[in-house]
Amino acid sequence: MTFLGLAFILICLVAGLSRSKNVCEKIEQWKNRTVSRLPHLPSDPVTSSSPAKETQEEEKHLQYALPTLQSKTSSRTSMGLKRLEKSNWLTIDTHYTSEHQVRNYLLRTSHPNVIQCLPGSEAACHEVLSIAVDFFITRFPNHFTMEGETITNHIANESFLVGPDCPNPLEIAARLAMEDFNVLMKNAETGKYHLQASATLFPAGWKLQERIGTTMANLHGPVPSWKEKMGGAVNRYFDHLSAKTAMERTNLFIQSNPDLFSDAPEIPAGHEKRTMPQELQVRRERQTFTRLEKTGAVLFTVRTYMQPLDDLEDEEAVALIHQVRGWEEEIKVYKGWDVWGQAFEKWCEKRFRR
Ligand code: HEM
């Protein structure tokens, strides 16, 4: 072999090694980016299990990734809908086991706070479970399998009856998924969409028992300008939503603690313990909207992601600062600026000196 040939092989080897190092670093970064924190669970020992090894490689490629934070130009809230990639309707990722334990704990200890199904919503709840089960067994066949009318979740080692005889279909859907499920039905008298059933394990500052059965306007009571700017458009959007035009949107909150179950707005200024910059979290929801083909109800799913501000990559941290500082005054107040605003500014100062 000539000297040139030997040099060429050496260069290829070095390039290959550094590329695989880059890939490893990227995977590490990605893992850190989607960290969710668990609420503090007083004295609830749980056993932990992890997804089957042979599927971890496959998952890496299949996993849905929450879009990175962008600096938004608009300071107003908007519908911000985009078409849903159906193969990513429901998600499974590395936080499944830990969040599953939290979900089980909440279902055991706070059932009426997290599950509400009003009479008349039964058929829609069965339809939700049926499409969720179909999705899981086809999209994640290594994790979920069916035998007769029983689904087995191999990640958590649990089995559930899921056919027409299942007594609590929405709860079972919520036990299988990482998403929360909300069923909205058009009320014949009011002509408006009402929240008729919900499995909301990770609420962002609201109480399910206070809002079940109410209209979209009532659900969004505290949201600034909902009535004037968004309410009408959302009702029209729901009227035109079809099974083929499923959509998704995301939202963002700053939270002064890592609790996924957060059923009250943050404590008003003056009464709270001092929020420390290092405690701040960014809470994001990925929401999807689907029309149920059989019952015609609207299905609204919510996946919650929680991440400490300190864990954000520089680019995302800058985008977040742009977004938050760009919020209109009334949106800042609604999102709890009075509670975490000072700590947020301190955090910005510490991280970027700005
Ligand atoms: C296209 C449809 C929808 C749009 C555009 C929308 C928009 C919003 C916005 C802008 C907020 C304020 C927080 C934020 O910045 O995201 C919000 C909060 C909320 N949304 Fe929606 N939403 C929609 C559908 C729904 C549905 C179907 C439900 C049913 C459960 C729902 C329940 C809530 C609740 C409970 C809050 C918290 C209100 C509070 O702070 O008390 N939303 N929504």
Side-chain angles (χ1 to χ4, degrees), residues 206-212 214 218:
W206 59 284
K207 287 188 174 33
L208 175 57
Q209 277 171 299
E210 289 174 1
R211 310 236 182 137
I212 189 73
T214 62
N218 196 352

Coordinates of all heavy atoms in Angstrom, one line a residue, residues 206-212 214 218:
W206 N -55.7 24.6 37.0 CA -57.2 24.7 37.1 C -57.7 23.4 37.7 O -57.0 22.4 37.7 CB -57.7 24.9 35.7 CG -57.4 23.9 34.7 CD1 -56.2 23.8 34.0 CD2 -58.2 22.9 34.2 NE1 -56.2 22.7 33.1 CE2 -57.4 22.2 33.2 CE3 -59.5 22.4 34.4 CZ2 -57.9 21.1 32.5 CZ3 -60.0 21.4 33.7 CH2 -59.2 20.7 32.8
K207 N -58.9 23.5 38.2 CA -59.5 22.3 38.9 C -60.6 21.7 38.0 O -61.6 22.3 37.6 CB -60.2 22.8 40.2 CG -59.2 23.1 41.3 CD -59.9 23.4 42.6 CE -58.9 23.6 43.7 NZ -57.6 24.2 43.5
L208 N -60.4 20.4 37.7 CA -61.3 19.7 36.8 C -62.8 19.7 37.4 O -63.7 20.0 36.6 CB -60.8 18.3 36.6 CG -61.7 17.3 35.8 CD1 -62.0 17.9 34.4 CD2 -61.1 15.9 35.7
Q209 N -62.9 19.5 38.7 CA -64.3 19.4 39.2 C -65.1 20.7 39.1 O -66.3 20.7 39.0 CB -64.2 19.0 40.7 CG -64.1 17.5 40.8 CD -63.8 17.1 42.3 OE1 -62.8 17.5 42.8 NE2 -64.6 16.3 42.9
E210 N -64.3 21.8 39.0 CA -65.0 23.1 38.8 C -65.4 23.4 37.4 O -66.3 24.2 37.1 CB -64.1 24.3 39.3 CG -63.9 24.3 40.8 CD -62.9 25.4 41.2 OE1 -62.3 26.1 40.3 OE2 -62.6 25.5 42.4
R211 N -64.8 22.7 36.4 CA -65.0 23.1 35.0 C -65.7 22.0 34.2 O -66.1 22.3 33.1 CB -63.7 23.4 34.4 CG -62.9 24.4 35.2 CD -62.5 25.7 34.4 NE -61.7 26.5 35.3 CZ -60.6 27.2 35.0 NH1 -60.2 27.1 33.7 NH2 -60.0 27.9 35.9
I212 N -65.8 20.8 34.8 CA -66.5 19.7 34.0 C -67.9 20.1 33.7 O -68.6 20.7 34.5 CB -66.4 18.4 34.8 CG1 -66.9 17.2 33.9 CG2 -67.2 18.4 36.1 CD1 -66.0 16.8 32.8
T214 N -68.8 22.4 31.6 CA -69.0 23.8 31.2 C -68.5 24.0 29.8 O -67.9 23.1 29.1 CB -68.2 24.7 32.1 OG1 -66.9 24.4 32.1 CG2 -68.7 24.6 33.6
N218 N -66.3 29.2 29.5 CA -66.1 29.0 30.9 C -64.8 28.4 31.2 O -64.1 28.8 32.2 CB -67.3 28.2 31.5 CG -67.4 28.3 33.0 OD1 -66.5 28.9 33.6 ND2 -68.4 27.7 33.6

